[in-house]
């Protein structure tokens, strides 16, 4: 799978794969991103991986474009899809009960299914984290059961609590901080996906897998009161 490598501004080079959400493409993106960071980090300002692109930003006053382009093309040509990569799974406990599942009854009504069936289908997969963005630590996930795909809300909320778990189209994700948003909120996790005071502020990283686990409101409250205790 050969991507396009092109300049998109005076200070940016983009590596572009086919425009699709694919685990194979994501593995290539992670491999190339890792190699660029390991081999030419001194030549770049930052690197931004997304669903099917990688944007490399650099200082055009300090770094020659043609030289950098040649190095990036060499890395891209040598990087492989690491299909044997071991899965790192992060379990996310989620309470789907009131008052946390703000839209769960509406989502159940759209799909003509019980809450128990919706939760079963939502917690069944291991979701690949394709990228992190939008707000600090917000994971964009792939692999949701298409039978529970749900359109965004017609009118976004101005405030969604941190930890809210939502569905938008065929995607599911977790709001790491309080923010506006239009996703259908079906539950909430007591885990802090983003904490600026932690050594590593972001709990979830691209390339990991998320596994949701249903918990009761009582368990949620206990985990919220005692975040340092292992509740697994």
């Amino acid at each position: 799978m050969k991507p396009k490598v092109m300049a998109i501004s005076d200070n940016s080079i983009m590596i572009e794969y086919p425009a699709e959400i694919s685990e194979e493409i994501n593995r290539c993106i992670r491999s190339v991103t890792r190699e660029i960071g390991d081999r030419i980090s001194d030549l770049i300002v930052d690197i931004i991986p997304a669903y099917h692109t990688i944007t490399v930003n650099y200082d055009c006053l300090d770094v020659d474009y043609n030289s950098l382009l040649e190095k990036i093309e060499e890395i891209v040509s040598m990087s492989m899809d690491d299909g044997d990569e071991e899965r790192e799974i992060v379990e996310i406990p989620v309470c789907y009960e009131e008052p946390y599942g703000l839209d769960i009854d509406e989502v159940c009504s759209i799909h003509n299914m019980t809450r128990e069936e919706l939760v079963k289908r939502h917690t069944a997969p291991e979701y690949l984290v394709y990228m992190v963005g939008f707000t600090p630590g917000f994971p964009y996930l792939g692999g949701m059961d298409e039978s529970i795909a749900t359109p965004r809300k017609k009118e976004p909320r101005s405030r969604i609590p941190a930890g809210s778990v939502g569905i938008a189209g065929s995607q599911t994700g977790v709001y790491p901080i309080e923010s506006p948003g239009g996703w259908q909120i079906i539950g909430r996790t007591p885990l802090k996906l983003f904490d600026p005071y932690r050594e590593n502020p972001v709990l979830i990283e691209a390339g990991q897998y998320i596994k949701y686990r249903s918990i009761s409101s009582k368990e949620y409250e206990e985990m919220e009161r005692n975040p340092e205790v292992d509740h697994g």
Side-chain angles (χ1 to χ4, degrees):
M1 184 184 307
K2 187 175 181 180
K4 299 176 183 177
V5 183
M6 69 198 105
I8 57 172
S9 76
D10 291 342
N11 295 298
S12 302
I13 293 173
M14 177 177 283
I15 305 162
E16 184 179 38
Y17 290 86
E20 57 187 80
I21 300 176
S22 156
E23 289 200 22
E24 180 185 0
I25 290 174
N26 185 259
R27 287 193 297 267
C28 291
I29 284 176
R30 297 203 309 270
S31 175
V32 171
T33 299
R34 187 166 52 245
E35 287 298 314
I36 289 175
D38 289 345
R39 295 172 57 179
I40 58 171
S41 61
D42 57 323
L43 301 178
I44 66 175
V45 175
D46 62 11
I47 181 168
I48 306 169
Y51 272 120
H52 67 97
T53 63
I54 305 169
T55 302
V56 180
N57 297 316
Y58 66 100
D59 187 341
C60 64
L61 298 179
D62 291 335
V63 176
D64 176 68
Y65 164 75
N66 290 315
S67 175
L68 180 59
L69 181 66
E70 183 179 341
K71 292 180 187 301
I72 290 175
E73 287 179 332
E74 179 185 355
I75 290 172
V76 168
S77 67
M78 295 177 62
S79 295
M80 303 293 291
D81 167 12
D82 188 4
D84 296 327
E85 185 179 33
E86 185 176 348
R87 288 192 175 192
E88 182 182 352
I89 300 172
V90 179
E91 186 179 82
I92 304 292
V94 179
C95 181
Y96 296 89
E97 302 172 6
E98 286 84 5
Y100 309 113
L102 303 176
D103 302 308
I104 192 166
D105 289 334
E106 180 181 343
V107 174
C108 288
S109 177
I110 289 172
H111 299 294
N112 192 28
M113 66 176 62
T114 64
R115 184 180 297 192
E116 290 73 19
E117 183 61 26
L118 178 71
V119 171
K120 180 180 178 181
R121 297 188 189 197
H122 189 251
T123 55
E126 292 175 352
Y127 297 93
L128 173 61
V129 182
Y130 278 87
M131 64 178 186
V132 176
F134 169 54
T135 59
F138 189 104
Y140 284 84
L141 311 178
M144 190 178 75
D145 187 331
E146 287 292 334
S147 69
I148 59 173
T150 310
R152 294 168 180 263
K153 297 189 73 64
K154 293 180 180 179
E155 294 186 10
R157 289 185 172 91
S158 60
R159 175 185 173 275
I160 293 179
S164 293
V165 176
I167 293 175
S170 60
Q171 292 184 293
T172 180
V174 186
Y175 284 78
I177 61 175
E178 181 181 302
S179 66
W183 291 37
Q184 303 278 2
I185 304 304
I186 61 171
R188 195 182 306 169
T189 178
L191 297 187
K192 284 189 175 183
L193 269 65
F194 177 74
D195 184 348
Y197 301 105
R198 279 197 305 245
E199 182 177 355
N200 184 0
V202 177
L203 182 65
I204 305 296
E205 298 179 355
Q208 294 176 324
Y209 285 79
I210 280 180
K211 177 72 173 175
Y212 292 119
R213 175 172 66 88
S214 178
I215 60 173
S216 67
S217 56
K218 183 177 180 180
E219 289 174 293
Y220 180 99
E221 292 163 5
E222 177 64 23
M223 294 176 74
E224 195 172 42
R225 283 194 300 268
N226 301 287
E228 303 304 321
V229 176
D230 183 0
H231 298 273

